[in-house]
Amino acid sequence: MTIAARSADGNLDFHLAADPIEPDRVNVFEAWESIESVEAFRGDGPDREMSSGVRAADVRQYEVAGSIRL
């Protein structure tokens, strides 16, 4: 999934990481140029096989007005 996301139009970053404290938790970080970009990538959402392994999810979306590279 990481390779597909990173090669998608509008993707700025995509990262999956095992949580260092909770062994059954995976953290996902995504950055996209626009809401339209992420929605085009997501389509109708995960297929049945992928979603069958998800026990819980907490999805948050933030809109960033700007950033400064340090």
Side-chain angles (χ1 to χ4, degrees), residues 5 8-11 30-46 59 61 63:
D9 288 340
N11 181 266
E30 300 179 50
W32 296 84
E33 289 179 354
S34 66
I35 293 171
E36 293 79 18
S37 295
V38 71
E39 287 177 351
F41 175 73
R42 290 275 173 254
D44 294 329
V59 178
Q61 178 176 314
E63 189 170 330

Side-chain angles (χ1 to χ4, degrees), residues 1 3 11-12 14-15 17-18 28 31 35-37 40 47 51 59 65 70:
M1 173 175 295
I3 293 170
N11 181 266
L12 302 173
F14 188 95
H15 184 78
V28 181
I35 293 171
E36 293 79 18
S37 295
D47 61 22
S51 60
V59 178
L70 301 175

Side-chain angles (χ1 to χ4, degrees), residues 15-28:
H15 184 78
L16 297 170
D19 190 90
I21 297 171
E22 299 176 47
D24 60 344
R25 178 177 168 171
V26 175
N27 296 305
V28 181

